[in-house]
Amino acid sequence: MAVRVDNALVALAAPPGSGGGGTQLNNPAPEAPAGLEEVAEQWISWAKWGCLVAGALGLLICAGMMAVGRRNRSYLAAEGAAGIPWTVAGLSLAALAVPIAAQIMNATS
C-alpha cells in the first residue's frame, strides 16, 4: 500500500500476519541435509577431541611453567598460573558449545 504525503509517495509496510508485501518468512527448525548429519557429528566429535588434547596440553604447559618458574623466575610461574583459568574456560566452552548453540537455536524457533 502506498500513500501520498506532500506530493511524495510513501510506502507503508503490511501489518504482520496480513500476508501482504512478502515480508514474512517462516522460521523452520534446523534440519540436516540428507546424508550430512553423520558427517557433521563426526566433525564435531573430532573438533571436541582436538580441544580436549589442546586443553590437556595447555594445563601441562601451565604446570611446567609454574614448576620451572618457582625460583628466580617468578614471572614465569605467574604466567603459568594465569593461564590455568583461560585453559579451563576454553575447555568449558568446548564442552558446552553444542548445547549452547542448540539452546540458542531452539529459543529463536
Side-chain angles (χ1 to χ4, degrees):
M1 177 192 300
V3 176
R4 279 209 183 268
V5 177
D6 295 332
N7 292 332
L9 192 61
V10 178
L12 297 178
S18 68
T23 59
Q24 297 296 317
L25 293 174
N26 291 334
N27 189 10
E31 182 178 336
L36 287 183
E37 187 172 326
E38 291 177 11
V39 173
E41 286 180 4
Q42 185 70 44
W43 286 6
I44 290 171
S45 67
W46 288 344
K48 288 174 97 173
W49 180 82
C51 289
L52 174 65
V53 171
L57 288 174
L59 288 172
L60 287 171
I61 290 169
C62 288
M65 290 172 69
M66 291 172 67
V68 169
R70 184 181 178 306
R71 299 239 173 170
N72 298 326
R73 291 183 215 86
S74 61
Y75 65 91
L76 190 60
E79 287 294 318
I84 293 172
W86 289 102
T87 306
V88 171
L91 285 168
S92 300
L93 186 58
L96 296 173
V98 174
I100 289 172
Q103 185 66 32
I104 291 171
M105 291 302 293
N106 289 334
T108 60
S109 58

